[in-house]
Amino acid sequence: ASGVATANLPIQPVAPPYFTRADWGVDQTLEDGQCPSPSDTVKVIFVHHTAGTNGYAESDVPAVLRGVHAYHTANGWCDIAYNALIDRFGRIWEGRAGGMENPVRSGATGGFNTDSWAISLIGNYSTTALPTTAYTALRDLTAWKLLANRRNPQGTAVLTQAEGGAALGALWTDGQPVTFNVISGHRDAKSTECPGNLAYPLLATLRRDVDQRMSANPR
């Protein structure tokens, strides 16, 4: 199935409310300014989890994000790897710099960061169920991003495994075209439990719910 939606939908729907990088206190001095240029579009959204604690309070989230950012940059990445993150309270947080509305190349799905976008659920959803609040935010954010890029949430799209992807744990040969669901989990691209055994099965329902949300044509 084609990854491009055929419905006559608006190109730039209104984004769901989100907190900016400034809101969580990003320390840009940790970044090297060498992030790759943006992609041309977003063909696939990969869902991740941070695999951290689930017991954080609302007031803890900015510090959690600063910790993820510090960890990623300490590992030599140019910025936090995720384009957006969602906490257990259903709040959306801007991740990687470049503008939430833009096709900023993610750094979270090694081998398949070009033309993809990464949303990470803050917490570990291997043994803990995803709260309804977080699921709803994930649905709304995914619908907005796919609507803006005219993608069919129940379709597929082809990404090409980048050079060095195999060394990062990607499952195919570098340079190989791979077909993904437009809404996929990190484990679809790499041998990993991410986004957790209790979150991953929700993706089939998410595809349907996002499709319904997009069809409602929210403004």
Side-chain angles (χ1 to χ4, degrees):
S2 171
V4 179
T6 57
N8 184 22
L9 298 174
I11 303 305
Q12 289 294 337
V14 176
Y18 64 88
F19 291 93
T20 68
R21 285 161 56 87
D23 289 326
W24 56 266
V26 63
D27 182 357
Q28 291 182 277
T29 66
L30 299 177
E31 300 171 7
D32 64 10
Q34 300 298 313
C35 282
S37 59
S39 299
D40 293 327
T41 187
V42 174
K43 295 181 179 179
V44 175
I45 288 181
F46 286 106
V47 179
H48 299 249
H49 71 168
T50 62
T53 181
N54 295 79
Y56 53 86
E58 288 189 36
S59 59
D60 295 331
V61 174
V64 170
L65 292 173
R66 290 193 297 271
V68 174
H69 179 259
Y71 176 74
H72 286 185
T73 53
N75 275 275
W77 302 341
C78 64
D79 192 355
I80 193 169
Y82 310 117
N83 298 98
L85 301 96
I86 296 171
D87 66 31
R88 69 188 184 97
F89 308 102
R91 300 178 302 176
I92 298 168
W93 299 82
E94 180 183 19
R96 181 162 281 216
M100 289 275 278
E101 72 281 5
N102 296 320
V104 175
R105 196 183 306 256
S106 88
T109 314
F112 298 101
N113 289 320
T114 299
D115 294 339
S116 74
W117 217 64
I119 301 173
S120 189
L121 305 165
I122 302 173
N124 189 327
Y125 295 103
S126 294
T127 57
T128 300
L130 184 67
T132 300
T133 48
Y135 177 85
T136 300
L138 176 62
R139 179 202 65 187
D140 291 350
L141 180 60
T142 301
W144 167 65
K145 199 64 183 177
L146 294 183
L147 191 59
N149 288 276
R150 304 184 73 179
R151 299 294 163 187
N152 177 2
Q154 300 201 73
T156 59
V158 176
L159 301 177
T160 300
Q161 183 167 309
E163 183 178 351
L168 295 172
L171 300 175
W172 296 272
T173 303
D174 292 354
Q176 180 177 347
V178 181
T179 299
F180 290 100
N181 289 311
V182 167
I183 300 174
S184 288
H186 188 192
R187 67 173 63 179
D188 294 321
K190 178 181 179 179
S191 180
T192 174
E193 291 188 1
C194 185
N197 289 336
L198 295 185
Y200 183 77
L202 298 175
L203 298 186
T205 303
L206 180 66
R207 296 180 192 111
R208 181 201 67 201
D209 290 347
V210 167
D211 199 4
Q212 292 176 349
R213 184 70 169 143
M214 290 170 65
S215 296
N217 209 4
R219 295 184 184 274

